[in-house]
Coordinates of all heavy atoms in Angstrom, one line a residue:
M1 N -18.1 7.4 -28.2 CA -17.2 7.7 -27.1 C -16.6 9.1 -27.3 O -16.1 9.4 -28.3 CB -16.1 6.7 -27.0 CG -16.5 5.3 -26.5 SD -16.9 5.4 -24.7 CE -15.2 5.6 -24.0
H2 N -16.6 9.8 -26.2 CA -15.9 11.1 -26.3 C -14.5 10.9 -25.8 O -14.2 10.1 -24.9 CB -16.6 12.1 -25.3 CG -18.0 12.4 -25.7 ND1 -18.3 13.1 -26.9 CD2 -19.1 12.1 -25.2 CE1 -19.6 13.3 -27.0 NE2 -20.1 12.7 -25.9
N3 N -13.6 11.6 -26.4 CA -12.2 11.5 -25.8 C -12.1 12.4 -24.6 O -13.0 13.1 -24.2 CB -11.1 11.7 -26.8 CG -11.0 13.2 -27.2 OD1 -11.2 14.1 -26.4 ND2 -10.8 13.5 -28.5
R4 N -11.0 12.4 -24.0 CA -10.8 13.0 -22.7 C -11.1 14.5 -22.7 O -11.5 15.0 -21.7 CB -9.3 12.7 -22.2 CG -9.1 12.9 -20.8 CD -7.7 12.3 -20.4 NE -7.9 10.9 -20.2 CZ -7.7 10.3 -19.0 NH1 -7.3 11.1 -18.0 NH2 -7.8 9.1 -18.7
Q5 N -10.8 15.2 -23.8 CA -10.9 16.6 -23.8 C -12.2 17.1 -24.4 O -12.5 18.2 -24.5 CB -9.8 17.2 -24.6 CG -8.4 16.8 -24.1 CD -8.1 17.1 -22.6 OE1 -8.7 18.1 -22.1 NE2 -7.3 16.4 -22.0
E6 N -13.1 16.2 -24.9 CA -14.3 16.6 -25.6 C -15.5 16.0 -25.0 O -16.3 15.2 -25.6 CB -14.2 16.1 -27.1 CG -13.3 17.0 -27.9 CD -13.9 18.4 -28.2 OE1 -15.1 18.5 -28.3 OE2 -13.1 19.3 -28.3
R7 N -15.7 16.2 -23.7 CA -16.9 15.8 -23.0 C -18.0 16.9 -23.1 O -17.7 18.0 -23.4 CB -16.6 15.5 -21.6 CG -15.6 14.4 -21.4 CD -15.3 14.2 -19.9 NE -14.2 13.3 -19.7 CZ -14.2 12.0 -19.7 NH1 -15.3 11.3 -20.0 NH2 -13.2 11.3 -19.4
T8 N -19.2 16.4 -23.0 CA -20.3 17.4 -23.0 C -21.1 17.3 -21.7 O -21.1 16.3 -21.0 CB -21.3 17.1 -24.2 OG1 -21.7 15.8 -24.2 CG2 -20.6 17.4 -25.5
C9 N -21.8 18.4 -21.4 CA -22.5 18.6 -20.2 C -23.7 17.6 -20.1 O -24.5 17.5 -21.1 CB -23.0 20.0 -20.1 SG -23.9 20.3 -18.6
L10 N -23.9 16.9 -19.0 CA -25.1 16.1 -18.9 C -26.3 16.9 -18.7 O -27.4 16.4 -19.0 CB -24.9 15.2 -17.6 CG -23.9 14.0 -17.7 CD1 -23.8 13.4 -16.3 CD2 -24.4 13.0 -18.7
K11 N -26.3 18.1 -18.3 CA -27.4 18.9 -18.0 C -27.9 19.6 -19.2 O -29.1 19.6 -19.5 CB -27.1 19.9 -16.9 CG -26.7 19.3 -15.6 CD -27.8 18.4 -14.9 CE -27.4 17.9 -13.6 NZ -28.4 17.0 -13.0
C12 N -27.0 20.3 -19.9 CA -27.5 21.1 -21.0 C -26.9 20.8 -22.4 O -27.2 21.3 -23.4 CB -27.2 22.6 -20.7 SG -25.5 23.1 -20.8
G13 N -25.9 19.8 -22.4 CA -25.3 19.4 -23.7 C -24.2 20.3 -24.2 O -23.7 20.0 -25.3
D14 N -23.9 21.3 -23.5 CA -22.9 22.2 -24.0 C -21.5 21.6 -23.7 O -21.4 20.6 -23.0 CB -23.0 23.6 -23.3 CG -22.6 24.7 -24.2 OD1 -21.6 24.5 -25.0 OD2 -23.2 25.8 -24.1
K15 N -20.5 22.3 -24.2 CA -19.1 21.7 -24.0 C -18.7 21.9 -22.5 O -18.9 23.0 -21.9 CB -18.1 22.4 -24.9 CG -16.8 21.7 -25.0 CD -15.9 22.3 -26.1 CE -15.3 23.6 -25.6 NZ -14.3 24.1 -26.5
I16 N -18.0 20.9 -22.0 CA -17.4 21.1 -20.7 C -15.9 21.0 -20.8 O -15.4 20.3 -21.7 CB -17.9 20.1 -19.6 CG1 -17.6 18.6 -20.1 CG2 -19.4 20.3 -19.3 CD1 -18.0 17.6 -19.1
I17 N -15.2 21.8 -20.0 CA -13.7 21.9 -20.1 C -13.1 21.3 -18.9 O -13.6 21.4 -17.7 CB -13.3 23.3 -20.4 CG1 -13.7 24.2 -19.2 CG2 -13.8 23.8 -21.7 CD1 -13.1 25.6 -19.3
K18 N -11.9 20.7 -19.1 CA -11.2 20.1 -17.9 C -10.5 21.3 -17.1 O -9.8 22.1 -17.7 CB -10.1 19.2 -18.4 CG -9.4 18.5 -17.3 CD -8.4 17.4 -17.9 CE -7.8 16.7 -16.7 NZ -6.8 15.7 -17.2
C19 N -10.8 21.2 -15.8 CA -10.2 22.2 -14.9 C -9.4 21.5 -13.9 O -9.2 20.3 -13.9 CB -11.3 23.1 -14.3 SG -12.3 24.0 -15.5
Y20 N -8.9 22.3 -13.0 CA -8.2 21.7 -11.8 C -8.5 22.5 -10.6 O -8.9 23.7 -10.7 CB -6.7 21.6 -12.1 CG -6.0 22.9 -12.1 CD1 -5.3 23.4 -10.9 CD2 -5.9 23.7 -13.2 CE1 -4.7 24.6 -10.9 CE2 -5.3 24.9 -13.2 CZ -4.6 25.4 -12.1 OH -4.0 26.6 -12.0
V21 N -8.3 21.8 -9.4 CA -8.5 22.5 -8.2 C -7.2 23.2 -7.8 O -6.1 22.6 -8.0 CB -9.0 21.6 -7.1 CG1 -10.5 21.2 -7.3 CG2 -8.2 20.4 -7.0
D22 N -7.3 24.3 -7.2 CA -6.1 25.1 -6.8 C -5.6 24.6 -5.5 O -5.3 25.3 -4.5 CB -6.4 26.6 -6.7 CG -5.1 27.4 -6.7 OD1 -4.0 26.8 -6.9 OD2 -5.2 28.6 -6.4
D23 N -5.4 23.2 -5.4 CA -5.0 22.6 -4.1 C -4.4 21.3 -4.4 O -5.0 20.2 -4.1 CB -6.2 22.5 -3.2 CG -5.9 22.0 -1.8 OD1 -4.7 22.1 -1.4 OD2 -6.7 21.4 -1.2
G24 N -3.3 21.3 -5.0 CA -2.7 20.0 -5.6 C -2.7 20.1 -7.1 O -3.7 20.1 -7.7
L25 N -1.5 20.3 -7.6 CA -1.4 20.7 -9.0 C -2.0 19.6 -10.0 O -2.4 20.0 -11.1 CB 0.1 20.9 -9.4 CG 0.7 22.1 -8.7 CD1 2.1 22.2 -9.1 CD2 -0.1 23.4 -9.2
K26 N -2.0 18.4 -9.6 CA -2.5 17.3 -10.5 C -3.9 16.9 -10.2 O -4.4 15.9 -10.6 CB -1.5 16.1 -10.5 CG -0.2 16.5 -11.1 CD 0.7 15.3 -11.1 CE 2.1 15.6 -11.7 NZ 3.0 14.5 -11.6
G27 N -4.6 17.6 -9.3 CA -5.9 17.2 -9.0 C -6.0 16.7 -7.6 O -5.0 16.6 -6.8
L28 N -7.2 16.4 -7.1 CA -7.4 15.8 -5.8 C -7.0 14.3 -5.8 O -7.4 13.6 -6.7 CB -8.8 16.0 -5.4 CG -9.3 17.4 -5.1 CD1 -10.8 17.4 -4.7 CD2 -8.5 18.0 -3.9
L29 N -6.3 13.9 -4.8 CA -6.0 12.5 -4.7 C -7.1 11.7 -4.0 O -7.5 12.1 -2.9 CB -4.6 12.3 -4.0 CG -4.1 10.9 -3.9 CD1 -3.7 10.5 -5.3 CD2 -2.8 10.9 -3.0
V30 N -7.6 10.7 -4.6 CA -8.6 9.9 -4.0 C -8.1 8.5 -3.8 O -7.3 8.0 -4.7 CB -9.9 9.9 -4.7 CG1 -10.6 11.2 -4.7 CG2 -9.8 9.4 -6.1
K31 N -8.5 7.7 -2.8 CA -8.0 6.4 -2.5 C -9.1 5.4 -2.3 O -10.1 5.7 -1.7 CB -7.1 6.5 -1.3 CG -5.9 7.4 -1.5 CD -5.0 7.4 -0.2 CE -3.8 8.3 -0.5 NZ -2.9 8.3 0.7
N32 N -8.9 4.2 -2.8 CA -9.8 3.1 -2.5 C -9.4 2.6 -1.1 O -8.3 2.2 -0.9 CB -9.5 2.0 -3.6 CG -10.4 0.8 -3.4 OD1 -11.0 0.6 -2.3 ND2 -10.5 0.0 -4.4
P33 N -10.4 2.6 -0.2 CA -10.1 2.2 1.2 C -9.6 0.7 1.2 O -9.0 0.3 2.2 CB -11.5 2.4 1.9 CG -12.5 2.5 0.8 CD -11.8 3.1 -0.4
D34 N -10.0 -0.1 0.2 CA -9.5 -1.5 0.2 C -7.9 -1.5 0.1 O -7.3 -2.5 0.4 CB -10.1 -2.2 -1.0 CG -11.5 -2.5 -0.8 OD1 -12.0 -2.4 0.3 OD2 -12.2 -2.9 -1.8
G35 N -7.3 -0.4 -0.3 CA -5.9 -0.4 -0.5 C -5.1 0.1 0.7 O -3.9 0.2 0.7
D36 N -5.9 0.4 1.8 CA -5.2 1.0 3.0 C -4.2 0.0 3.6 O -4.5 -1.1 3.9 CB -6.2 1.4 4.0 CG -6.8 2.8 3.7 OD1 -6.2 3.5 2.9 OD2 -7.9 3.1 4.3
R37 N -3.0 0.6 3.8 CA -2.0 -0.1 4.6 C -1.5 0.8 5.6 O -1.9 1.9 5.7 CB -0.8 -0.5 3.6 CG -1.2 -1.5 2.5 CD -1.5 -2.9 3.0 NE -1.7 -3.8 1.9 CZ -2.9 -4.0 1.4 NH1 -4.0 -3.3 1.8 NH2 -3.1 -4.8 0.4
L38 N -0.5 0.4 6.4 CA -0.1 1.2 7.5 C 0.5 2.5 7.0 O 0.2 3.6 7.5 CB 1.0 0.4 8.3 CG 1.3 1.0 9.7 CD1 0.0 1.3 10.5 CD2 2.2 0.1 10.4
F39 N 1.4 2.4 6.0 CA 2.1 3.6 5.6 C 1.7 4.1 4.1 O 2.2 5.1 3.7 CB 3.6 3.4 5.7 CG 4.1 3.3 7.1 CD1 4.5 2.0 7.5 CD2 4.0 4.3 8.0 CE1 4.9 1.9 8.8 CE2 4.4 4.2 9.3 CZ 4.9 2.9 9.7
S40 N 1.0 3.3 3.4 CA 0.8 3.7 2.0 C -0.5 3.1 1.5 O -1.0 2.1 2.0 CB 2.0 3.3 1.1 OG 2.0 1.9 1.0
N41 N -1.0 3.7 0.5 CA -2.1 3.2 -0.2 C -1.9 3.4 -1.7 O -1.9 4.5 -2.2 CB -3.4 3.9 0.3 CG -4.6 3.3 -0.4 OD1 -4.6 2.7 -1.5 ND2 -5.8 3.6 0.2
K42 N -1.6 2.3 -2.4 CA -1.2 2.4 -3.8 C -2.5 2.5 -4.7 O -2.4 2.7 -5.9 CB -0.3 1.3 -4.2 CG 1.1 1.4 -3.5 CD 2.1 1.0 -4.5 CE 3.5 1.4 -4.0 NZ 3.8 1.2 -2.6
K43 N -3.6 2.2 -4.1 CA -4.8 2.2 -4.9 C -5.4 3.6 -4.9 O -6.3 3.9 -4.2 CB -5.9 1.2 -4.4 CG -5.4 -0.2 -4.5 CD -6.5 -1.2 -4.1 CE -6.0 -2.7 -4.3 NZ -7.1 -3.6 -3.9
N44 N -4.8 4.5 -5.7 CA -5.2 5.8 -5.7 C -5.1 6.4 -7.1 O -4.4 5.9 -8.0 CB -4.4 6.7 -4.7 CG -2.9 6.7 -5.1 OD1 -2.5 7.2 -6.1 ND2 -2.1 6.1 -4.3
T45 N -5.8 7.5 -7.3 CA -5.7 8.3 -8.5 C -6.0 9.7 -8.3 O -6.6 10.0 -7.2 CB -6.6 7.7 -9.6 OG1 -6.4 8.4 -10.8 CG2 -8.1 7.8 -9.2
N46 N -5.7 10.6 -9.2 CA -6.1 12.0 -9.1 C -7.4 12.1 -9.8 O -7.7 11.5 -10.8 CB -5.0 12.9 -9.7 CG -3.8 12.9 -8.9 OD1 -3.8 13.3 -7.7 ND2 -2.7 12.5 -9.5
I47 N -8.2 13.0 -9.3 CA -9.5 13.4 -10.0 C -9.5 14.9 -10.3 O -8.9 15.7 -9.6 CB -10.7 13.0 -9.2 CG1 -10.8 13.7 -7.9 CG2 -10.8 11.5 -9.0 CD1 -12.1 13.5 -7.2
N48 N -10.1 15.2 -11.5 CA -10.1 16.6 -11.9 C -11.6 16.9 -12.3 O -12.2 16.0 -12.9 CB -9.2 16.9 -13.0 CG -7.7 17.0 -12.5 OD1 -7.3 17.9 -11.9 ND2 -7.0 15.9 -12.7
P49 N -12.0 18.1 -12.1 CA -13.4 18.5 -12.5 C -13.4 18.9 -14.0 O -12.5 19.6 -14.4 CB -13.7 19.6 -11.6 CG -12.4 20.3 -11.3 CD -11.4 19.2 -11.3
F50 N -14.5 18.5 -14.6 CA -14.8 19.1 -15.9 C -16.0 20.0 -15.7 O -17.0 19.5 -15.1 CB -15.2 18.0 -16.9 CG -14.0 17.2 -17.5 CD1 -13.2 16.4 -16.7 CD2 -13.6 17.4 -18.8 CE1 -12.1 15.7 -17.2 CE2 -12.5 16.7 -19.3 CZ -11.8 15.9 -18.5
I51 N -16.0 21.2 -16.1 CA -17.0 22.1 -15.8 C -17.6 22.7 -17.1 O -16.9 23.1 -18.0 CB -16.4 23.3 -14.9 CG1 -15.9 22.6 -13.6 CG2 -17.5 24.3 -14.6 CD1 -15.2 23.6 -12.7
C52 N -19.0 22.8 -17.0 CA -19.7 23.3 -18.2 C -19.6 24.9 -18.1 O -19.9 25.5 -17.1 CB -21.2 22.9 -18.0 SG -22.2 23.6 -19.3
T53 N -19.2 25.4 -19.3 CA -19.0 26.9 -19.4 C -20.4 27.6 -19.6 O -20.4 28.8 -19.6 CB -18.1 27.2 -20.5 OG1 -18.5 26.6 -21.7 CG2 -16.7 26.8 -20.2
N54 N -21.4 26.8 -19.8 CA -22.8 27.4 -20.0 C -23.5 27.4 -18.7 O -24.0 28.5 -18.2 CB -23.5 26.6 -21.0 CG -24.9 27.2 -21.3 OD1 -25.0 28.4 -21.5 ND2 -25.9 26.4 -21.3
C55 N -23.7 26.3 -18.0 CA -24.5 26.2 -16.8 C -23.8 26.0 -15.5 O -24.3 26.2 -14.4 CB -25.6 25.1 -17.0 SG -25.0 23.5 -16.8
G56 N -22.5 25.7 -15.6 CA -21.7 25.6 -14.4 C -21.7 24.2 -13.8 O -21.0 24.0 -12.8
F57 N -22.4 23.3 -14.4 CA -22.4 21.9 -13.8 C -21.0 21.3 -13.9 O -20.3 21.5 -14.9 CB -23.3 21.0 -14.7 CG -23.5 19.6 -14.1 CD1 -24.2 19.4 -13.0 CD2 -22.9 18.6 -14.8 CE1 -24.3 18.1 -12.5 CE2 -23.0 17.3 -14.4 CZ -23.7 17.0 -13.2
A58 N -20.6 20.6 -12.8 CA -19.3 20.1 -12.7 C -19.3 18.6 -12.6 O -20.1 18.0 -11.8 CB -18.5 20.7 -11.5
E59 N -18.5 17.9 -13.3 CA -18.3 16.5 -13.2 C -16.9 16.2 -12.9 O -16.0 16.8 -13.4 CB -18.7 15.8 -14.6 CG -20.1 15.6 -14.9 CD -20.2 14.8 -16.1 OE1 -19.9 15.2 -17.2 OE2 -20.6 13.6 -16.0
W60 N -16.7 15.1 -12.1 CA -15.3 14.7 -11.8 C -14.9 13.5 -12.4 O -15.7 12.5 -12.5 CB -15.2 14.5 -10.2 CG -15.4 15.8 -9.5 CD1 -16.5 16.5 -9.2 CD2 -14.3 16.6 -9.0 NE1 -16.2 17.6 -8.5 CE2 -14.9 17.7 -8.3 CE3 -12.9 16.4 -8.9 CZ2 -14.1 18.7 -7.7 CZ3 -12.1 17.4 -8.3 CH2 -12.7 18.5 -7.7
Y61 N -13.8 13.4 -13.0 CA -13.3 12.2 -13.6 C -11.9 11.9 -13.0 O -11.1 12.8 -12.8 CB -13.1 12.4 -15.1 CG -14.4 12.5 -15.9 CD1 -15.1 13.7 -16.1 CD2 -15.0 11.3 -16.3 CE1 -16.3 13.7 -16.7 CE2 -16.3 11.3 -17.0 CZ -16.9 12.5 -17.2 OH -18.1 12.6 -17.8
A62 N -11.7 10.6 -12.9 CA -10.4 10.1 -12.4 C -9.4 10.0 -13.6 O -9.8 9.7 -14.7 CB -10.5 8.7 -11.8
D63 N -8.2 10.4 -13.3 CA -7.1 10.4 -14.4 C -6.8 8.9 -14.7 O -6.7 8.6 -15.9 CB -5.9 11.1 -13.9 CG -6.0 12.6 -13.9 OD1 -7.0 13.1 -14.6 OD2 -5.2 13.2 -13.3
K64 N -6.7 8.1 -13.7 CA -6.4 6.6 -13.9 C -7.3 5.8 -13.1 O -6.9 5.2 -12.0 CB -5.0 6.4 -13.5 CG -4.0 7.1 -14.5 CD -2.6 6.7 -14.1 CE -1.5 7.4 -15.0 NZ -0.2 7.2 -14.5
P65 N -8.6 5.7 -13.5 CA -9.5 4.9 -12.7 C -9.1 3.4 -12.4 O -9.4 2.8 -11.4 CB -10.8 4.9 -13.5 CG -10.5 5.4 -14.8 CD -9.2 6.2 -14.7
E66 N -8.3 2.9 -13.4 CA -7.8 1.5 -13.3 C -6.9 1.4 -12.1 O -6.7 0.3 -11.6 CB -7.2 1.1 -14.6 CG -5.9 1.8 -14.9 CD -6.1 3.1 -15.7 OE1 -7.3 3.6 -15.7 OE2 -5.1 3.6 -16.2
D67 N -6.3 2.5 -11.7 CA -5.3 2.4 -10.5 C -6.0 2.2 -9.2 O -5.4 1.9 -8.2 CB -4.5 3.7 -10.5 CG -3.4 3.7 -11.5 OD1 -3.3 2.7 -12.3 OD2 -2.7 4.7 -11.6
L68 N -7.3 2.3 -9.2 CA -8.1 2.1 -7.9 C -8.3 0.7 -7.6 O -8.8 0.3 -6.5 CB -9.4 2.9 -8.0 CG -9.3 4.4 -8.0 CD1 -10.6 5.0 -8.3 CD2 -8.8 4.9 -6.6
I69 N -8.1 -0.2 -8.5 CA -8.3 -1.6 -8.3 C -7.1 -2.5 -8.3 O -6.0 -2.0 -8.7 CB -9.4 -2.2 -9.3 CG1 -8.9 -2.0 -10.7 CG2 -10.7 -1.6 -9.1 CD1 -9.8 -2.6 -11.8
Ligands
ZN1 ZN1 -24.3 22.7 -18.8

């Protein structure tokens, strides 16, 4: 198991680093549609991209995937 900061690229095996999108400081907010209510959806988490510094491949990981269920 890799820890959160030590993932490797699926494409080339090089190191990938955690980045963020410049549109929401903690990442993009994603929501499980099953959690939709009129005014809120608590089944959500932020996702952030991990990007390979060698080939540029990007993977997205949820900060708290367990919060989606
Ligand atoms: Zn790569």
Side-chain angles (χ1 to χ4, degrees):
M1 285 291 287
H2 297 293
N3 72 37
R4 196 166 276 248
Q5 306 302 332
E6 284 288 327
R7 299 180 190 277
T8 53
C9 179
L10 284 177
K11 301 295 182 184
C12 72
D14 215 323
K15 194 175 76 168
I16 58 177
I17 59 172
K18 186 176 184 180
C19 297
Y20 71 95
V21 289
D22 193 13
D23 185 24
L25 292 176
K26 292 179 179 175
L28 290 178
L29 188 65
V30 295
K31 299 180 178 184
N32 181 343
D34 288 347
D36 277 343
R37 298 288 184 274
L38 194 54
F39 295 110
S40 68
N41 181 340
K42 295 219 163 42
K43 295 184 177 184
N44 63 64
T45 184
N46 291 301
I47 61 172
N48 285 285
F50 284 70
I51 298 176
C52 177
T53 53
N54 182 50
C55 74
F57 182 73
E59 280 188 288
W60 290 80
Y61 288 92
D63 285 345
K64 294 181 179 174
E66 67 275 12
D67 285 357
L68 289 170
I69 55 176

